[in-house]
Amino acid sequence: MLCGSPWHLCDHVFFIIHMETESHWILGRLNIEERRMYMYNSLSTAMKDSAAIKACQPFAVLLPHFFALFDEFKKENKPVCLDPFEVVKVDGLPQQTSNDYGCFVASFAEYFIDMKLIPPIFDVEKHRDRLAVLFYKYARMKEVEFIDSEDEAPPKCPKKNLS
């Protein structure tokens, strides 16, 4: 979907969540239809999972109010419900052994988008190198073809009335 598409047209929305107390990042995936927020944590222990769920709670509570405020549910004739989204921990994820949470977060999102299972054994070096090459190729393509991303493009000026 394009950036700026209405949320009621989306099945899933990804966002990263900073766990400030743990100095760690996790991936959140909102399933609007199920009213659930799935938490992908690459540093899973009982204590870290508790902190991760606590970090997800503001999103789980505020997003229903956001949708109601902007009539996102009414556009699809869905009943407005202000109950918090259920937060569900995704189990069976590979665990990081060093400070590589960015690679894990990006890869978890990519696996879901590509509808692939996340492998239990995760070669961080391979994924980091692959992501670096992809970002470099994308940047070069934009540079060579003079492409601006939507949010990088200067605002369009209104058309002048010449009459």
Side-chain angles (χ1 to χ4, degrees):
M1 297 202 72
L2 295 176
C3 180
S5 297
W7 283 38
H8 75 276
L9 297 177
C10 301
D11 293 326
H12 303 274
V13 178
F14 291 99
F15 46 96
I16 56 173
I17 301 168
H18 184 238
M19 296 171 42
E20 193 170 333
T21 58
E22 304 296 323
S23 189
H24 178 60
W25 293 86
I26 60 175
L27 176 69
R29 176 176 58 89
L30 180 63
N31 184 319
I32 296 171
E33 189 67 31
E34 294 178 1
R35 295 187 51 78
R36 284 191 180 128
M37 194 169 92
Y38 292 91
M39 175 192 71
Y40 295 76
N41 185 5
S42 60
L43 268 180
S44 187
T45 64
M47 227 165 118
K48 300 251 188 229
D49 286 343
S50 175
I53 289 171
K54 186 176 178 182
C56 291
Q57 286 303 321
F59 294 96
V61 171
L62 290 175
L63 283 172
H65 292 275
F66 168 79
F67 290 147
L69 180 66
F70 292 103
D71 295 330
E72 288 298 323
F73 293 117
K74 292 178 186 172
K75 293 175 184 171
E76 286 286 309
N77 292 326
K78 295 178 183 174
V80 174
C81 177
L82 299 178
D83 294 340
F85 289 119
E86 178 186 2
V87 177
V88 178
K89 177 185 175 283
V90 177
D91 290 319
L93 298 173
Q95 297 297 294
Q96 68 185 66
T97 56
S98 61
N99 208 10
D100 294 315
Y101 47 79
C103 183
F104 278 88
V105 166
S107 296
F108 290 164
E110 187 178 27
Y111 276 109
F112 183 83
I113 291 167
D114 291 340
M115 293 187 269
K116 294 179 181 175
L117 292 175
I118 298 171
I121 298 172
F122 190 80
D123 185 346
V124 174
E125 296 296 325
K126 180 177 125 187
H127 284 278
R128 189 182 309 116
D129 291 347
R130 189 181 59 74
L131 287 170
V133 169
L134 285 173
F135 288 138
Y136 176 78
K137 284 172 66 176
Y138 179 69
R140 284 294 296 151
M141 178 202 62
K142 287 178 62 174
E143 188 176 73
V144 168
E145 297 179 21
F146 302 105
I147 297 172
D148 282 336
S149 296
E150 215 174 280
D151 60 344
E152 295 172 349
K156 294 180 181 168
C157 297
K159 293 184 180 180
K160 293 181 180 179
N161 188 352
L162 299 176
S163 52

